[in-house]
Amino acid sequence: MKATEILRSSSAPNALFESFSTSSAPSISMAAPRGVYAESGGGGRALDEDRERNADSPTDKKYRAEKSPPSRWEFVAALGVFLSFSSALLFIYLTMPAADYEMLKLPRTLADLRLLKDHLGSYARHYPAKFILGYCSTYIFMQTFMIPGTIFMSLLAGALFGVCRGLFLVVFNATAGASSCYFLSKLIGKPIVVWLWPDKLRYFQAEIGRHRDKLLNYMLFLRVTPTLPNLFINLASPIVDIPFYIFFLATVIGLIPASYITVSAGLALGDLKSVKDLYDYKTLGVLFIIGSVLLFPTLRKRKASV
C-alpha cells in the first residue's frame, strides 16, 4: 500500500511538469491538473463533463449528435425514390417521337448547349407539346436530385421559346423541382444536410429564428440574392421548420429576377462566352438591391422592437 501511494503521489507532479513543458498557452497548462485529478480521483472527470455539457447550446448538441452519415435504410429509401423518378423519365423519353438520341445529352458547356439547341430547334417546332413534356420532366428531375446543369436548361429555354414563354417554363420547373426536393428532404434529407453542412445549417436556423415574424420577406431575400445556394435552401428549409406555403411563395416570386437574366441571355447564346458573364458585379448589385428592398420590412420591425 505504501509503495502504491508513493507511486501515485509521484506521478501527478511528473504529469503536471510534462504538461507545463509541452504547452506554451496558460489556458492549456492550467487545464492539465483537472485531467490529472480526473485520472486519479474520478470525480473531476464528471465535473468537467458537466461543464462541457452546460457550455454547449441545445442546438449545438443536437447537430453534433446527429452529425453522422445517413443510415443504410435512408440510403435505400433515397435510391428507391431516385429509381422511381428515373423510370418515369425513361418512360417519357421512350414514348416520344423518334429522334437522334445520340445528340440528346445534358449540356455541360456552352458549346454543348449550342449543339443541343441547333438539334432541338426543329424538333420543338414539329412536336411542341411532347418536347415541352420532355424538357419539363428533365428540368424537374435535375432540380429534385440536385444534378448540376439547370442553368444550361434555363439558357436553352430562352434560346428556344423566347423571354416570356421561357421565363414561365423556367420558373415553373424550378419551383416544381424545388418543391419536390423540399419534400424529399423532409422525408430522408435531415441526416444528409446535418452531415454535409452542420455549421451552415446552424447559422440558417438561427437566422430563421431571428426573422420568424417576417419569414416570407427573409426567404424572398435569400431567393433573390446569392447569399445562400438554392440547393442548400431547398434541402434545409423543411429541417428548420419553414412552412411549405412560405417556401413555395418565396420560390415562385424570388426566382423571377435571376431567371429573367438567364433566359434573356439565352436569346444571345452565340455571343455568350462564359456562364460567369451572366452574373457580373453589376447584375449582382441589382439583385442585392432588390433583395434589400424585400428585407426592409424585417429590418424596420427589428429596429422598432429594439
Side-chain angles (χ1 to χ4, degrees):
M1 292 294 293
K2 291 183 178 180
T4 304
E5 292 177 357
I6 293 172
L7 290 174
R8 184 177 300 173
S9 61
S10 62
S11 61
N14 291 334
L16 183 59
F17 175 77
E18 291 176 0
S19 65
F20 273 93
S21 62
T22 58
S23 175
S24 59
S27 58
I28 299 177
S29 63
M30 290 177 65
R34 291 204 297 269
V36 173
Y37 176 73
E39 293 177 358
S40 60
R45 182 184 300 276
L47 180 61
D48 289 345
E49 291 178 354
D50 290 339
R51 288 176 178 174
E52 291 177 1
R53 282 198 297 268
N54 293 333
D56 295 336
S57 64
T59 303
D60 292 344
K61 290 188 294 183
K62 179 180 69 173
Y63 288 137
R64 186 162 52 250
E66 295 177 352
K67 187 181 178 182
S68 60
S71 66
R72 181 176 62 181
W73 297 112
E74 289 165 338
F75 176 78
V76 171
L79 182 61
V81 174
F82 178 81
L83 292 177
S84 300
F85 271 74
S86 300
S87 300
L89 185 62
L90 179 62
F91 176 78
I92 291 174
Y93 275 94
L94 291 178
T95 56
M96 293 180 68
D100 187 1
Y101 289 103
E102 294 181 357
M103 298 294 297
L104 296 178
K105 65 176 183 178
L106 295 179
R108 297 302 180 188
T109 63
L110 289 177
D112 293 341
L113 184 61
R114 294 187 185 101
L115 291 176
L116 186 63
K117 182 252 182 182
D118 295 336
H119 176 71
L120 294 177
S122 59
Y123 193 93
R125 289 192 298 270
H126 289 88
Y127 309 101
K130 293 186 177 181
F131 175 79
I132 290 177
L133 176 62
Y135 174 85
C136 293
S137 58
T138 303
Y139 200 119
I140 294 173
F141 179 82
M142 295 174 65
Q143 191 82 357
T144 300
F145 295 102
M146 302 151 285
I147 300 175
T150 53
I151 188 170
F152 294 109
M153 299 293 289
S154 301
L155 288 168
L156 183 63
L160 294 177
F161 301 107
V163 175
C164 294
R165 286 193 300 169
L167 179 62
F168 174 81
L169 280 176
V170 169
V171 173
F172 171 80
N173 290 320
T175 303
S179 300
S180 299
C181 188
Y182 175 97
F183 287 111
L184 184 64
S185 179
K186 190 172 186 178
L187 178 64
I188 56 175
K190 186 173 183 178
I192 299 176
V193 178
V194 174
W195 180 42
L196 293 176
W197 304 292
D199 296 332
K200 187 176 293 186
L201 181 62
R202 192 178 300 115
Y203 165 79
F204 187 43
Q205 187 176 47
E207 290 298 307
I208 292 299
R210 292 171 56 193
H211 300 91
R212 183 65 66 177
D213 294 338
K214 294 287 185 179
L215 189 55
L216 179 59
N217 296 87
Y218 180 65
M219 289 298 294
L220 284 171
F221 170 79
L222 293 181
R223 284 301 194 188
V224 171
T225 63
T227 305
L228 288 174
N230 282 324
L231 167 62
F232 174 79
I233 296 174
N234 296 341
L235 290 171
S237 292
I239 299 175
V240 298
D241 299 326
I242 295 177
F244 176 70
Y245 76 94
I246 291 181
F247 175 87
F248 179 82
L249 290 176
T251 303
V252 171
I253 301 173
L255 291 181
I256 291 177
S259 299
Y260 175 80
I261 294 172
T262 307
V263 170
S264 299
L267 296 176
L269 189 60
D271 300 330
L272 193 63
K273 297 180 180 179
S274 173
V275 176
K276 296 179 180 179
D277 296 339
L278 293 173
Y279 298 98
D280 53 10
Y281 290 110
K282 181 180 178 180
T283 303
L284 292 176
V286 172
L287 292 178
F288 270 103
I289 291 174
I290 297 174
S292 300
V293 172
L294 296 172
L295 192 63
F296 179 73
T298 304
L299 299 176
R300 185 177 60 180
K301 183 172 183 178
R302 185 189 303 174
K303 184 177 180 180
S305 62
V306 173

Short mmCIF file of all heavy atoms in Angstrom, two decimals, residues 227-280:
data_model
loop_
_atom_site.label_atom_id
_atom_site.label_comp_id
_atom_site.label_asym_id
_atom_site.label_seq_id
_atom_site.Cartn_x
_atom_site.Cartn_y
_atom_site.Cartn_z
N THR A 227 -27.03 34.85 -51.40
CA THR A 227 -26.50 34.76 -50.04
C THR A 227 -26.25 33.31 -49.65
O THR A 227 -25.21 32.97 -49.08
CB THR A 227 -27.46 35.43 -49.05
OG1 THR A 227 -27.71 36.77 -49.47
CG2 THR A 227 -26.88 35.43 -47.65
N LEU A 228 -27.23 32.46 -49.91
CA LEU A 228 -27.11 31.03 -49.68
C LEU A 228 -27.46 30.30 -50.97
O LEU A 228 -28.35 30.73 -51.70
CB LEU A 228 -28.04 30.56 -48.55
CG LEU A 228 -27.68 30.97 -47.12
CD1 LEU A 228 -28.79 30.55 -46.15
CD2 LEU A 228 -26.35 30.37 -46.70
N PRO A 229 -26.79 29.19 -51.27
CA PRO A 229 -27.11 28.46 -52.50
C PRO A 229 -28.55 27.93 -52.48
O PRO A 229 -29.06 27.52 -51.43
CB PRO A 229 -26.10 27.30 -52.50
CG PRO A 229 -25.02 27.72 -51.56
CD PRO A 229 -25.66 28.60 -50.54
N ASN A 230 -29.20 27.97 -53.63
CA ASN A 230 -30.57 27.47 -53.72
C ASN A 230 -30.65 25.99 -53.35
O ASN A 230 -31.66 25.54 -52.79
CB ASN A 230 -31.11 27.68 -55.13
CG ASN A 230 -31.54 29.12 -55.37
OD1 ASN A 230 -32.06 29.79 -54.47
ND2 ASN A 230 -31.32 29.61 -56.57
N LEU A 231 -29.61 25.24 -53.67
CA LEU A 231 -29.59 23.83 -53.30
C LEU A 231 -29.69 23.65 -51.80
O LEU A 231 -30.49 22.83 -51.30
CB LEU A 231 -28.30 23.19 -53.83
CG LEU A 231 -27.95 21.81 -53.29
CD1 LEU A 231 -29.02 20.81 -53.68
CD2 LEU A 231 -26.58 21.36 -53.80
N PHE A 232 -28.91 24.41 -51.06
CA PHE A 232 -28.96 24.31 -49.60
C PHE A 232 -30.31 24.76 -49.06
O PHE A 232 -30.85 24.14 -48.14
CB PHE A 232 -27.84 25.16 -49.00
CG PHE A 232 -27.88 25.24 -47.50
CD1 PHE A 232 -27.41 24.19 -46.73
CD2 PHE A 232 -28.40 26.35 -46.86
CE1 PHE A 232 -27.47 24.24 -45.34
CE2 PHE A 232 -28.45 26.42 -45.48
CZ PHE A 232 -27.98 25.37 -44.72
N ILE A 233 -30.88 25.82 -49.63
CA ILE A 233 -32.19 26.30 -49.16
C ILE A 233 -33.26 25.23 -49.38
O ILE A 233 -34.11 24.99 -48.50
CB ILE A 233 -32.57 27.60 -49.89
CG1 ILE A 233 -31.57 28.71 -49.54
CG2 ILE A 233 -33.99 28.04 -49.52
CD1 ILE A 233 -31.78 29.99 -50.32
N ASN A 234 -33.24 24.58 -50.53
CA ASN A 234 -34.22 23.53 -50.81
C ASN A 234 -34.14 22.39 -49.80
O ASN A 234 -35.16 21.88 -49.34
CB ASN A 234 -34.02 22.98 -52.22
CG ASN A 234 -34.26 24.02 -53.30
OD1 ASN A 234 -34.90 25.04 -53.06
ND2 ASN A 234 -33.74 23.76 -54.47
N LEU A 235 -32.92 22.01 -49.46
CA LEU A 235 -32.74 20.87 -48.56
C LEU A 235 -32.95 21.23 -47.10
O LEU A 235 -33.49 20.43 -46.33
CB LEU A 235 -31.33 20.29 -48.74
CG LEU A 235 -31.04 19.56 -50.06
CD1 LEU A 235 -29.56 19.25 -50.16
CD2 LEU A 235 -31.87 18.31 -50.17
N ALA A 236 -32.54 22.42 -46.71
CA ALA A 236 -32.55 22.78 -45.29
C ALA A 236 -33.88 23.36 -44.82
O ALA A 236 -34.16 23.35 -43.62
CB ALA A 236 -31.44 23.78 -44.99
N SER A 237 -34.70 23.87 -45.72
CA SER A 237 -35.94 24.54 -45.31
C SER A 237 -36.87 23.65 -44.49
O SER A 237 -37.37 24.09 -43.44
CB SER A 237 -36.67 25.08 -46.55
OG SER A 237 -35.95 26.15 -47.13
N PRO A 238 -37.15 22.41 -44.89
CA PRO A 238 -38.02 21.60 -44.03
C PRO A 238 -37.38 21.22 -42.71
O PRO A 238 -38.08 20.97 -41.73
CB PRO A 238 -38.28 20.35 -44.89
CG PRO A 238 -37.13 20.28 -45.83
CD PRO A 238 -36.76 21.70 -46.12
N ILE A 239 -36.05 21.19 -42.66
CA ILE A 239 -35.37 20.81 -41.44
C ILE A 239 -35.47 21.90 -40.38
O ILE A 239 -35.57 21.61 -39.18
CB ILE A 239 -33.89 20.48 -41.74
CG1 ILE A 239 -33.82 19.31 -42.72
CG2 ILE A 239 -33.11 20.17 -40.47
CD1 ILE A 239 -32.43 18.99 -43.19
N VAL A 240 -35.49 23.16 -40.80
CA VAL A 240 -35.59 24.28 -39.86
C VAL A 240 -37.04 24.76 -39.73
O VAL A 240 -37.29 25.87 -39.27
CB VAL A 240 -34.67 25.44 -40.28
CG1 VAL A 240 -33.22 25.00 -40.26
CG2 VAL A 240 -35.04 25.97 -41.66
N ASP A 241 -37.98 23.93 -40.16
CA ASP A 241 -39.42 24.18 -39.95
C ASP A 241 -39.94 25.41 -40.68
O ASP A 241 -40.72 26.19 -40.13
CB ASP A 241 -39.73 24.30 -38.44
CG ASP A 241 -39.39 23.02 -37.69
OD1 ASP A 241 -39.55 21.94 -38.27
OD2 ASP A 241 -38.94 23.12 -36.53
N ILE A 242 -39.52 25.59 -41.91
CA ILE A 242 -40.12 26.62 -42.75
C ILE A 242 -41.38 26.06 -43.38
O ILE A 242 -41.31 25.03 -44.07
CB ILE A 242 -39.14 27.09 -43.84
CG1 ILE A 242 -37.93 27.77 -43.19
CG2 ILE A 242 -39.82 28.05 -44.82
CD1 ILE A 242 -36.87 28.19 -44.18
N PRO A 243 -42.54 26.66 -43.17
CA PRO A 243 -43.78 26.12 -43.76
C PRO A 243 -43.68 26.06 -45.28
O PRO A 243 -43.04 26.91 -45.92
CB PRO A 243 -44.85 27.11 -43.30
CG PRO A 243 -44.26 27.78 -42.10
CD PRO A 243 -42.79 27.85 -42.34
N PHE A 244 -44.34 25.07 -45.86
CA PHE A 244 -44.22 24.88 -47.30
C PHE A 244 -44.81 26.05 -48.08
O PHE A 244 -44.28 26.42 -49.14
CB PHE A 244 -44.89 23.58 -47.73
CG PHE A 244 -44.88 23.37 -49.22
CD1 PHE A 244 -43.70 23.10 -49.89
CD2 PHE A 244 -46.06 23.50 -49.96
CE1 PHE A 244 -43.69 22.93 -51.27
CE2 PHE A 244 -46.04 23.34 -51.33
CZ PHE A 244 -44.87 23.05 -52.00
N TYR A 245 -45.91 26.64 -47.59
CA TYR A 245 -46.52 27.72 -48.35
C TYR A 245 -45.60 28.93 -48.44
O TYR A 245 -45.55 29.63 -49.47
CB TYR A 245 -47.88 28.11 -47.76
CG TYR A 245 -47.83 28.92 -46.50
CD1 TYR A 245 -47.88 30.31 -46.53
CD2 TYR A 245 -47.74 28.30 -45.25
CE1 TYR A 245 -47.84 31.06 -45.37
CE2 TYR A 245 -47.70 29.04 -44.09
CZ TYR A 245 -47.74 30.42 -44.15
OH TYR A 245 -47.69 31.15 -42.99
N ILE A 246 -44.81 29.19 -47.39
CA ILE A 246 -43.83 30.27 -47.44
C ILE A 246 -42.69 29.90 -48.37
O ILE A 246 -42.22 30.72 -49.17
CB ILE A 246 -43.31 30.59 -46.03
CG1 ILE A 246 -44.43 31.24 -45.19
CG2 ILE A 246 -42.09 31.50 -46.08
CD1 ILE A 246 -44.02 31.62 -43.80
N PHE A 247 -42.24 28.67 -48.28
CA PHE A 247 -41.19 28.19 -49.18
C PHE A 247 -41.65 28.30 -50.63
O PHE A 247 -40.89 28.74 -51.50
CB PHE A 247 -40.86 26.74 -48.82
CG PHE A 247 -39.88 26.08 -49.75
CD1 PHE A 247 -38.52 26.19 -49.54
CD2 PHE A 247 -40.32 25.34 -50.83
CE1 PHE A 247 -37.61 25.59 -50.39
CE2 PHE A 247 -39.43 24.73 -51.69
CZ PHE A 247 -38.07 24.85 -51.47
N PHE A 248 -42.88 27.92 -50.90
CA PHE A 248 -43.40 27.93 -52.27
C PHE A 248 -43.51 29.36 -52.80
O PHE A 248 -43.06 29.65 -53.91
CB PHE A 248 -44.76 27.24 -52.29
CG PHE A 248 -45.41 27.21 -53.65
CD1 PHE A 248 -45.06 26.24 -54.56
CD2 PHE A 248 -46.37 28.15 -54.01
CE1 PHE A 248 -45.65 26.20 -55.82
CE2 PHE A 248 -46.96 28.12 -55.25
CZ PHE A 248 -46.59 27.14 -56.17
N LEU A 249 -44.11 30.25 -52.03
CA LEU A 249 -44.27 31.64 -52.48
C LEU A 249 -42.92 32.31 -52.69
O LEU A 249 -42.73 33.04 -53.67
CB LEU A 249 -45.11 32.42 -51.46
CG LEU A 249 -46.59 32.06 -51.37
CD1 LEU A 249 -47.26 32.85 -50.24
CD2 LEU A 249 -47.30 32.33 -52.69
N ALA A 250 -42.02 32.10 -51.77
CA ALA A 250 -40.69 32.71 -51.90
C ALA A 250 -39.96 32.18 -53.13
O ALA A 250 -39.23 32.92 -53.80
CB ALA A 250 -39.86 32.45 -50.65
N THR A 251 -40.17 30.91 -53.46
CA THR A 251 -39.52 30.33 -54.62
C THR A 251 -40.11 30.89 -55.92
O THR A 251 -39.38 31.28 -56.84
CB THR A 251 -39.65 28.80 -54.60
OG1 THR A 251 -39.08 28.30 -53.37
CG2 THR A 251 -38.90 28.18 -55.76
N VAL A 252 -41.44 30.91 -56.00
CA VAL A 252 -42.10 31.40 -57.21
C VAL A 252 -41.71 32.84 -57.51
O VAL A 252 -41.35 33.20 -58.64
CB VAL A 252 -43.63 31.27 -57.08
CG1 VAL A 252 -44.32 31.96 -58.25
CG2 VAL A 252 -44.03 29.81 -57.04
N ILE A 253 -41.78 33.69 -56.49
CA ILE A 253 -41.52 35.12 -56.69
C ILE A 253 -40.02 35.41 -56.73
O ILE A 253 -39.53 36.18 -57.57
CB ILE A 253 -42.20 35.95 -55.59
CG1 ILE A 253 -43.71 35.68 -55.59
CG2 ILE A 253 -41.93 37.43 -55.78
CD1 ILE A 253 -44.45 36.31 -54.43
N GLY A 254 -39.28 34.79 -55.83
CA GLY A 254 -37.87 35.13 -55.68
C GLY A 254 -36.98 34.68 -56.82
O GLY A 254 -35.92 35.25 -57.04
N LEU A 255 -37.41 33.66 -57.57
CA LEU A 255 -36.59 33.17 -58.68
C LEU A 255 -36.79 33.96 -59.97
O LEU A 255 -36.06 33.75 -60.94
CB LEU A 255 -36.89 31.69 -58.95
CG LEU A 255 -36.44 30.70 -57.87
CD1 LEU A 255 -36.79 29.28 -58.29
CD2 LEU A 255 -34.94 30.81 -57.61
N ILE A 256 -37.77 34.84 -60.00
CA ILE A 256 -38.08 35.56 -61.24
C ILE A 256 -36.92 36.45 -61.69
O ILE A 256 -36.54 36.41 -62.88
CB ILE A 256 -39.38 36.38 -61.07
CG1 ILE A 256 -40.58 35.42 -60.96
CG2 ILE A 256 -39.57 37.33 -62.24
CD1 ILE A 256 -41.90 36.13 -60.73
N PRO A 257 -36.31 37.27 -60.83
CA PRO A 257 -35.23 38.15 -61.33
C PRO A 257 -34.05 37.39 -61.94
O PRO A 257 -33.62 37.69 -63.06
CB PRO A 257 -34.81 38.94 -60.09
CG PRO A 257 -36.01 38.92 -59.20
CD PRO A 257 -36.63 37.59 -59.41
N ALA A 258 -33.53 36.41 -61.22
CA ALA A 258 -32.39 35.65 -61.75
C ALA A 258 -32.77 34.85 -62.99
O ALA A 258 -31.97 34.72 -63.93
CB ALA A 258 -31.82 34.73 -60.67
N SER A 259 -33.99 34.30 -63.01
CA SER A 259 -34.44 33.54 -64.17
C SER A 259 -34.59 34.44 -65.39
O SER A 259 -34.26 34.03 -66.52
CB SER A 259 -35.77 32.84 -63.86
OG SER A 259 -35.63 31.94 -62.79
N TYR A 260 -35.05 35.65 -65.18
CA TYR A 260 -35.18 36.59 -66.29
C TYR A 260 -33.81 36.90 -66.90
O TYR A 260 -33.67 36.96 -68.13
CB TYR A 260 -35.85 37.87 -65.81
CG TYR A 260 -35.92 38.95 -66.87
CD1 TYR A 260 -36.90 38.90 -67.86
CD2 TYR A 260 -35.00 39.99 -66.89
CE1 TYR A 260 -36.96 39.88 -68.85
CE2 TYR A 260 -35.05 40.97 -67.87
CZ TYR A 260 -36.04 40.91 -68.84
OH TYR A 260 -36.08 41.88 -69.82
N ILE A 261 -32.81 37.08 -66.05
CA ILE A 261 -31.46 37.36 -66.55
C ILE A 261 -30.94 36.18 -67.38
O ILE A 261 -30.38 36.36 -68.46
CB ILE A 261 -30.52 37.66 -65.37
CG1 ILE A 261 -30.94 38.95 -64.67
CG2 ILE A 261 -29.07 37.75 -65.83
CD1 ILE A 261 -30.20 39.22 -63.38
N THR A 262 -31.15 34.97 -66.87
CA THR A 262 -30.64 33.79 -67.57
C THR A 262 -31.38 33.55 -68.88
O THR A 262 -30.76 33.27 -69.92
CB THR A 262 -30.77 32.56 -66.67
OG1 THR A 262 -30.16 32.83 -65.40
CG2 THR A 262 -30.07 31.36 -67.29
N VAL A 263 -32.70 33.66 -68.85
CA VAL A 263 -33.49 33.41 -70.06
C VAL A 263 -33.17 34.46 -71.13
O VAL A 263 -33.06 34.14 -72.32
CB VAL A 263 -34.99 33.40 -69.73
CG1 VAL A 263 -35.84 33.39 -70.99
CG2 VAL A 263 -35.33 32.19 -68.86
N SER A 264 -33.02 35.71 -70.72
CA SER A 264 -32.68 36.76 -71.68
C SER A 264 -31.33 36.51 -72.32
O SER A 264 -31.13 36.78 -73.52
CB SER A 264 -32.69 38.12 -70.98
OG SER A 264 -33.97 38.41 -70.45
N ALA A 265 -30.39 35.98 -71.54
CA ALA A 265 -29.07 35.67 -72.09
C ALA A 265 -29.16 34.55 -73.12
O ALA A 265 -28.31 34.46 -74.02
CB ALA A 265 -28.11 35.28 -70.97
N GLY A 266 -30.16 33.68 -72.98
CA GLY A 266 -30.32 32.60 -73.94
C GLY A 266 -30.66 33.09 -75.34
O GLY A 266 -30.39 32.39 -76.33
N LEU A 267 -31.23 34.28 -75.47
CA LEU A 267 -31.53 34.84 -76.79
C LEU A 267 -30.25 35.15 -77.56
O LEU A 267 -30.24 35.10 -78.80
CB LEU A 267 -32.37 36.11 -76.64
CG LEU A 267 -33.76 35.95 -76.02
CD1 LEU A 267 -34.42 37.30 -75.85
CD2 LEU A 267 -34.62 35.04 -76.90
N ALA A 268 -29.20 35.51 -76.85
CA ALA A 268 -27.90 35.80 -77.48
C ALA A 268 -26.91 34.72 -77.12
O ALA A 268 -25.78 34.99 -76.68
CB ALA A 268 -27.40 37.17 -77.04
N LEU A 269 -27.31 33.47 -77.28
CA LEU A 269 -26.47 32.34 -76.87
C LEU A 269 -25.16 32.31 -77.64
O LEU A 269 -24.12 31.92 -77.10
CB LEU A 269 -27.25 31.03 -77.08
CG LEU A 269 -26.63 29.76 -76.51
CD1 LEU A 269 -26.46 29.89 -75.00
CD2 LEU A 269 -27.51 28.56 -76.85
N GLY A 270 -25.18 32.72 -78.91
CA GLY A 270 -23.97 32.70 -79.70
C GLY A 270 -22.92 33.70 -79.24
O GLY A 270 -21.72 33.50 -79.47
N ASP A 271 -23.36 34.78 -78.60
CA ASP A 271 -22.43 35.81 -78.14
C ASP A 271 -21.93 35.56 -76.71
O ASP A 271 -21.02 36.26 -76.26
CB ASP A 271 -23.10 37.19 -78.20
CG ASP A 271 -23.53 37.55 -79.61
OD1 ASP A 271 -22.86 37.09 -80.56
OD2 ASP A 271 -24.53 38.28 -79.76
N LEU A 272 -22.53 34.61 -76.03
CA LEU A 272 -22.16 34.35 -74.64
C LEU A 272 -20.86 33.55 -74.60
O LEU A 272 -20.75 32.48 -75.22
CB LEU A 272 -23.28 33.58 -73.93
CG LEU A 272 -23.21 33.49 -72.40
CD1 LEU A 272 -23.31 34.88 -71.78
CD2 LEU A 272 -24.34 32.60 -71.88
N LYS A 273 -19.87 34.06 -73.87
CA LYS A 273 -18.56 33.41 -73.81
C LYS A 273 -18.41 32.50 -72.61
O LYS A 273 -17.71 31.49 -72.67
CB LYS A 273 -17.46 34.47 -73.80
CG LYS A 273 -17.41 35.33 -75.06
CD LYS A 273 -16.29 36.35 -74.97
CE LYS A 273 -16.25 37.21 -76.24
NZ LYS A 273 -15.17 38.23 -76.19
N SER A 274 -19.06 32.85 -71.50
CA SER A 274 -18.92 32.05 -70.29
C SER A 274 -20.17 32.22 -69.44
O SER A 274 -20.83 33.27 -69.49
CB SER A 274 -17.68 32.47 -69.49
OG SER A 274 -17.63 31.82 -68.24
N VAL A 275 -20.49 31.21 -68.68
CA VAL A 275 -21.63 31.29 -67.77
C VAL A 275 -21.39 32.36 -66.70
O VAL A 275 -22.34 32.99 -66.21
CB VAL A 275 -21.89 29.92 -67.12
CG1 VAL A 275 -23.01 30.00 -66.10
CG2 VAL A 275 -22.23 28.89 -68.19
N LYS A 276 -20.14 32.58 -66.36
CA LYS A 276 -19.82 33.59 -65.35
C LYS A 276 -20.21 35.00 -65.81
O LYS A 276 -20.40 35.89 -64.98
CB LYS A 276 -18.33 33.55 -65.02
CG LYS A 276 -17.88 32.24 -64.38
CD LYS A 276 -16.39 32.27 -64.09
CE LYS A 276 -15.94 30.97 -63.45
NZ LYS A 276 -14.47 30.96 -63.19
N ASP A 277 -20.31 35.18 -67.12
CA ASP A 277 -20.70 36.50 -67.62
C ASP A 277 -22.14 36.86 -67.30
O ASP A 277 -22.53 38.02 -67.39
CB ASP A 277 -20.50 36.55 -69.15
CG ASP A 277 -19.03 36.40 -69.54
OD1 ASP A 277 -18.17 36.65 -68.67
OD2 ASP A 277 -18.77 36.01 -70.69
N LEU A 278 -22.94 35.86 -66.94
CA LEU A 278 -24.35 36.12 -66.62
C LEU A 278 -24.49 36.96 -65.36
O LEU A 278 -25.39 37.79 -65.25
CB LEU A 278 -25.10 34.80 -66.44
CG LEU A 278 -25.27 33.92 -67.68
CD1 LEU A 278 -25.88 32.58 -67.29
CD2 LEU A 278 -26.14 34.63 -68.70
N TYR A 279 -23.60 36.74 -64.42
CA TYR A 279 -23.73 37.41 -63.12
C TYR A 279 -22.44 38.17 -62.81
O TYR A 279 -21.60 37.73 -62.02
CB TYR A 279 -24.03 36.39 -62.01
CG TYR A 279 -25.34 35.67 -62.22
CD1 TYR A 279 -25.39 34.41 -62.80
CD2 TYR A 279 -26.54 36.28 -61.85
CE1 TYR A 279 -26.59 33.76 -63.01
CE2 TYR A 279 -27.75 35.63 -62.06
CZ TYR A 279 -27.77 34.38 -62.64
OH TYR A 279 -28.96 33.75 -62.85
N ASP A 280 -22.31 39.32 -63.45
CA ASP A 280 -21.19 40.19 -63.17
C ASP A 280 -21.51 41.04 -61.94
O ASP A 280 -22.56 40.89 -61.31
CB ASP A 280 -20.86 41.06 -64.38
CG ASP A 280 -22.08 41.83 -64.88
OD1 ASP A 280 -23.12 41.82 -64.18
OD2 ASP A 280 -22.01 42.42 -65.97
#
